[in-house]
Amino acid sequence: MAEASFAPCAVIPVYDHEQPLPHVIGALRNAGLPCVLVDDGSHASCAAVMDELARQPQVELLRLPSNQGKGAAVAAGLREAARLGHSHALQVDADGQHDLSTLETFLDTARQYPQAVICGYPEYDASVPKGRLYARYLTHVWVWINCLSLQIRDSMCGFRIYPLAQTLAVLDSCRIGQRMDFDTEILVRMAWREQPMHWLPTRVHYPEDGLSHFRLWHDNVLISGMHARLFFGMLVRAPRIIWRRLVA
């Protein structure tokens, strides 16, 4: 891909994050990155903040009719980014957890490897809830099993740059989880397609007054079901995956 065709933007799924959102958008715009806000059925106060932000140059607003989940919002934002003519999209959370000081490094890497997904793996500070930290390792193990590989360092960090053509090809070929299962499932399915991935560290901070929409029981059931689906999908694909690696 030629340098001239590298046209990135940021896709930010939003559900009632009106407090940190202006700071996130400000940092992205200061880096010269156009933004696609996806309103995932937010309440009126947050919707009003997004309306105001969308009046700024290079900030687009896509409004979903109801809350559909983080995965559905990201997928809708990726499709909108492609429609607007972008080649790559940075997925970033609206709650301010991600350290955007490394943004230029991520963009430079995506420019250097335009066919790859540029994935962040988290470096946590003391603010991380220990229960969530330890629970991630169970997902790591299942992802490694379902990929028959240690390629994916962390599938749950929502800070990554997608090449849109390859990503939309995956979204168009199967149904991906619509909520908190999205981030993991799409990476596993891309790994099955031998999608190149590059990994960069990114600092993650959990603000004391941060708003989390992770629903402990409901989302863990969704994630468990996703791992089961992917496991059986891996069994079907295992001979082909192993053969490709043997002849590579």
Side-chain angles (χ1 to χ4, degrees):
M1 183 182 295
E3 174 75 14
S5 65
F6 181 71
C9 70
V11 168
I12 309 100
V14 185
Y15 180 53
D16 290 345
H17 289 106
E18 61 264 34
Q19 296 300 322
L21 182 60
H23 302 287
V24 172
I25 297 300
L28 294 168
R29 291 189 66 240
N30 286 341
L33 203 59
C35 299
V36 177
L37 290 171
V38 184
D39 179 2
D40 188 25
S42 296
H43 292 92
S45 57
C46 185
V49 169
M50 281 185 277
D51 286 336
E52 185 65 29
L53 290 169
R55 295 188 180 96
Q56 301 179 22
Q58 293 193 313
V59 179
E60 301 286 340
L61 174 59
L62 176 65
R63 182 155 276 146
L64 303 183
S66 61
N67 178 258
Q68 299 178 31
K70 177 186 177 182
V74 171
L78 296 178
R79 294 187 188 282
E80 180 67 5
R83 188 190 70 81
L84 292 169
H86 295 287
S87 63
H88 291 72
L90 168 74
Q91 176 188 335
V92 58
D93 290 350
D95 58 7
Q97 287 184 14
H98 298 137
D99 176 18
L100 298 180
S101 67
T102 59
L103 180 56
E104 195 57 43
T105 301
F106 273 73
L107 290 171
D108 286 345
T109 306
R111 189 179 292 109
Q112 184 178 358
Y113 302 101
Q115 304 301 317
V117 184
I118 312 304
C119 305
Y121 63 89
E123 293 183 334
Y124 295 108
D125 60 19
S127 67
V128 60
K130 293 301 184 286
R132 293 181 66 174
L133 178 62
Y134 299 144
R136 296 177 80 92
Y137 286 96
L138 181 60
T139 282
H140 294 344
V141 171
W142 272 113
V143 165
W144 297 333
I145 292 170
N146 290 333
C147 291
L148 298 177
S149 168
L150 301 178
Q151 172 189 9
I152 296 178
R153 295 189 61 162
D154 186 293
S155 67
M156 301 179 74
C157 181
F159 190 69
R160 57 182 69 147
I161 298 179
Y162 293 105
L164 287 172
Q166 294 91 329
T167 307
L168 294 182
V170 175
L171 291 176
D172 290 340
S173 69
C174 58
R175 180 174 173 82
I176 306 288
Q178 301 289 287
R179 292 189 176 274
M180 295 296 184
D181 44 357
F182 175 88
D183 288 342
T184 293
E185 184 168 2
I186 193 166
L187 278 196
V188 171
R189 291 188 177 276
M190 295 181 99
W192 286 347
R193 293 180 172 224
E194 301 291 316
Q195 171 69 42
M197 299 179 190
H198 286 266
W199 297 87
L200 298 173
T202 183
R203 292 194 298 271
V204 177
H205 174 74
Y206 286 80
E208 288 186 11
D209 57 349
L211 176 64
S212 172
H213 295 299
F214 188 86
R215 300 165 300 174
L216 182 62
W217 297 108
H218 187 274
D219 284 321
N220 276 323
V221 167
L222 283 177
I223 290 170
S224 297
M226 171 203 67
H227 288 313
R229 289 195 312 274
L230 293 176
F231 177 75
F232 289 109
M234 177 273 293
L235 291 180
V236 172
R237 294 169 174 81
R240 187 174 61 203
I241 293 171
I242 295 170
W243 174 251
R244 279 199 307 247
R245 291 175 186 169
L246 288 174
V247 300

